Amino acid sequence: MADSMSPAVAPIRARVAVPNGVWLGLMVVLWGLSWPAMKLCLGEIKPLWLATLRFSTAGAALFGVLAFNGRLRLPARADWPVLASIGGLQMMAFTALGLVAMRHTDAGRAALLAYTTPVWVMLGAWLFLRERPSQAQTAAIGCGLTGVAVVCSPFGMDWTNPDILLGNALLLVCAACWAVVILHVRHHRWSMHPLDLAPWQMAFAAIPLAAAAYAIEGPLNVVWSPRLVGLLAFIGPVATSFCFVISAEVGRRISSVTLSNVTLAVPAIGILSSALLLGERLDIVLIVGLGCLTAAVITAARDSCHA
């Protein structure tokens, strides 16, 4: 397959020749670390405003990169549906609901439940697209749902606390939103490169988020500090923009199965980094849930490889 790396990255890659695995490893580490980073920000910024700042700064960074490389242009009409799908569900809804949920639950648990997406993709393809699952996929769905049941059981959370119940429910809605986008993208015929659409998708998410934040949470009221600015710079331009570039560029040179397997490391890193950086409790319920989710996606991935 021809190298699809953008002009700004291609000369660097030619000199340094960084393997795909290194880029992907860096991506999942940054994504995993973004969960405790967002939890820290929530102590100083309300969730909808944090989501707004995340995508406005990330979008601005990508607009600048594309403009510098002469690739900035309006989205093609054929890509408007997927622009609205990714911007509205994967970015706006997923992030806003996830940040609201993290006010009621730990960052590690949030990362785990948000990354149950592969299970909902398999289940959605079966129920709505009439894609009959194989025996291995059926086993994977069952294993994944078992992991969700364990994490959300009375052993894993306090069912007498409505805020905790709401937080966990919102995280499962987040995962379902992302699953809908994956199913849509699977059947979309791209007119433009996904990277060229990314800043427009982020703008599509940021503008309604800003309006909702102002209406629900009031004007942005933040006590700015170097620590907070650093966290926002990491969450937006680094963990969102930079990681999207890696996902879009490297993802075109490897199989979707490989990419799915790589992202399994994100909730593990999120859980471990939240325990180390935030002092969150690492209990057996989260470990079992993570194990079930990992087993589910690996089972499905191996079945796809042998199909």
Side-chain angles (χ1 to χ4, degrees):
M1 181 181 295
D3 194 332
S4 59
M5 190 66 75
S6 64
V9 180
I12 298 176
R13 188 170 183 269
R15 292 193 299 268
V16 181
V18 179
N20 290 338
V22 173
W23 287 118
L24 292 173
L26 178 61
M27 179 187 73
V28 297
V29 168
L30 294 176
W31 272 350
L33 290 174
S34 70
W35 288 93
M38 289 187 290
K39 183 71 172 182
L40 288 171
C41 285
L42 284 173
E44 303 180 54
I45 306 176
K46 293 181 178 180
L48 294 181
W49 275 119
L50 178 55
T52 301
L53 291 172
R54 175 185 179 180
F55 287 111
S56 59
T57 57
L62 278 184
F63 273 124
V65 169
L66 292 181
F68 179 79
N69 287 284
R71 291 176 56 171
L72 184 60
R73 55 194 177 100
L74 291 173
R77 184 180 296 272
D79 287 326
W80 286 3
V82 79
L83 185 154
S85 177
I86 295 176
L89 290 177
Q90 183 179 346
M91 294 182 178
M92 181 173 64
F94 181 93
T95 302
L97 294 176
L99 289 173
V100 171
M102 271 204 290
R103 301 193 78 175
H104 307 297
T105 189
D106 292 341
R109 171 183 290 270
L112 175 60
L113 290 180
Y115 273 81
T116 58
T117 296
V119 177
W120 309 121
V121 169
M122 289 185 286
L123 193 59
W126 180 14
L127 296 177
F128 301 110
L129 300 181
R130 304 302 184 211
E131 296 180 6
R132 186 173 182 178
S134 65
Q135 289 185 343
Q137 289 172 327
T138 302
I141 292 172
C143 190
L145 293 178
T146 298
V148 173
V150 169
V151 173
C152 295
S153 71
F155 299 103
M157 66 183 194
D158 183 5
W159 278 44
T160 64
N161 189 325
D163 287 339
I164 291 177
L165 291 176
L166 174 63
N168 284 267
L170 289 178
L171 289 166
L172 293 177
V173 173
C174 288
C177 288
W178 193 358
V180 170
V181 172
I182 290 173
L183 293 173
H184 181 195
V185 168
R186 180 187 295 177
H187 297 280
H188 178 71
R189 298 183 64 180
W190 296 87
S191 176
M192 294 173 59
H193 190 289
L195 181 58
D196 296 331
L197 284 176
W200 299 103
Q201 292 160 350
M202 294 174 184
F204 186 93
I207 294 171
L209 279 171
Y214 188 85
I216 297 172
E217 299 174 346
L220 178 62
N221 184 16
V222 178
V223 178
W224 296 101
S225 66
R227 172 180 175 271
L228 180 58
V229 171
L231 286 170
L232 290 174
F234 173 74
I235 293 168
V238 177
T240 303
S241 296
F242 180 58
C243 288
F244 193 98
V245 172
I246 295 174
S247 177
E249 297 290 355
V250 178
R252 299 188 74 190
R253 300 194 299 273
I254 63 176
S255 70
S256 58
V257 170
T258 300
L259 187 60
S260 297
N261 281 338
V262 167
T263 59
L264 283 174
V266 175
I269 293 171
I271 290 171
L272 292 175
S273 61
S274 296
L276 292 173
L277 300 176
L278 305 180
E280 293 183 356
R281 188 166 60 94
L282 185 60
D283 57 30
I284 188 64
V285 172
L286 282 180
I287 295 173
V288 171
L290 180 62
C292 288
L293 176 61
T294 302
V297 180
I298 289 177
T299 299
R302 287 180 174 175
D303 181 66
S304 297
C305 289
H306 296 132

